[in-house]
Amino acid sequence: MRKFIFRVLLFLAIMFVVDRLVDISMNYLASHPKGGMTQRRNYITDICKEDVLIFGSSRAHYHYNPRIVTDSLGMTCFNCGENAMGIVHFYAWWKLISQRYHPQLLIYEVTPEMDIRKGDNYEYLWRLRNHYENEDVRAVFEKVEPKEKWKMVSRMYRYNSTFTEIAADIIHPMKEQGSNGFVAVNRTVKPKYAIKHPKYDGKKIIPDTLKMGFFEKMIKEMGPTQLILVASPYLTGINRTAFDPIREMSQKYGVPFLDYSNDSTYLRKTEYFYDSNHLNATGAEIFTRNLVGEIRKIMDSRQAAPHDKQ
């Protein structure tokens, strides 16, 4: 019996040492990528100091050209868009960033699937695991899945979904297209996709109370940062009621919400899209130019407000 207990304890001790060695190794590799998405994410969470940040799903990643924002507003800009991620992920990123500094402006691209619709929010946690030691990030995990803390005892677990990506960004990183986090796609959607019905046509989106809660918390924690919520264009438009929860929240807190989702400038114009949900490089340039014009008005009115009250 003693021999059995000794073997069990020895096995656990070896696993503990291996777990910690893997953690040290992966932490070093994740902190020293040669490029790719690992380097990009490290820059966003640990380094960026731009005046303007852009948050949101792949629709943010492909729709907002930081160069145009800088040229038009005279403010440095970085696109922090992240494919298939929503408010659960970006609230955690906001907490990490705001511990270092507050940008002048945060533009948030609202995507119903990731930011509003009720669903499994656990899928938004995996890219945050390496930040679990941060108290604010840990609080997000507690809200979404309290049982995750038991898995986090293993340091190897924190990297099991990102190991391949980190290794690739060390050995042979993919070069980022475009600049300042923006990816320009130079292809055009086939005309047949322009005849489809609007997205969520005739369907009601049930809002997720957890997602809405994170949005509300982020709005309240903006501090000196101006937050602007945006719904960029869809090729065939979208059921406008999909954005009702965000529209109501923007009115409640006085946060601007700019809705281009059904704008006739882009509606069914295949030359501006590379698929039904994403603008191509041409569409992104036109959209960003139109958007910054509205943003300039908002920022001018905000600066004039204190003077008007005197």
Side-chain angles (χ1 to χ4, degrees), residues 48-184:
C48 75
K49 284 287 183 74
E50 280 78 5
D51 302 322
V52 183
L53 296 182
I54 297 163
F55 277 12
S57 67
S58 59
R59 286 172 50 78
H61 201 180
Y62 298 112
H63 291 194
Y64 298 78
N65 190 327
R67 175 184 55 80
I68 295 172
V69 174
T70 298
D71 291 346
S72 301
L73 300 179
M75 304 165 73
T76 57
C77 178
F78 194 87
N79 188 321
C80 305
E82 186 79 1
N83 294 358
M85 289 291 136
I87 185 60
V88 173
H89 173 90
F90 286 105
Y91 174 75
W93 267 14
W94 171 250
K95 297 300 290 185
L96 290 170
I97 291 169
S98 61
Q99 288 170 6
R100 295 188 292 104
Y101 89 114
H102 276 75
Q104 295 182 45
L105 174 64
L106 177 65
I107 301 170
Y108 195 109
E109 165 68 27
V110 182
T111 305
E113 294 94 319
M114 288 82 177
D115 296 312
I116 300 173
R117 188 173 66 182
K118 189 174 181 62
D120 181 10
N121 293 313
Y122 181 78
E123 62 185 290
Y124 303 116
L125 295 179
W126 65 277
R127 287 178 182 159
L128 298 171
R129 287 177 184 144
N130 61 325
H131 294 288
Y132 188 75
E133 294 304 315
N134 183 279
E135 183 179 354
D136 291 322
V137 174
R138 194 159 57 247
V140 172
F141 276 78
E142 286 292 321
K143 283 279 188 181
V144 176
E145 180 48 80
K147 294 178 182 178
E148 191 76 355
K149 64 185 176 183
W150 301 114
K151 298 179 183 178
M152 287 296 177
V153 172
S154 168
R155 300 301 178 94
M156 289 191 292
Y157 173 73
R158 303 181 186 192
Y159 295 98
N160 69 350
S161 297
T162 56
F163 173 80
T164 303
E165 187 174 62
I166 292 171
D169 289 340
I170 289 287
I171 299 169
H172 186 62
M174 292 181 63
K175 292 182 179 180
E176 184 75 20
Q177 299 179 40
S179 61
N180 291 354
F182 169 66
V183 174

Side-chain angles (χ1 to χ4, degrees), residues 185-199:
V185 179
N186 294 299
R187 64 177 185 267
T188 305
V189 68
K190 295 179 179 179
K192 66 179 182 179
Y193 292 104
I195 64 174
K196 291 185 177 182
H197 292 293
K199 197 174 181 69

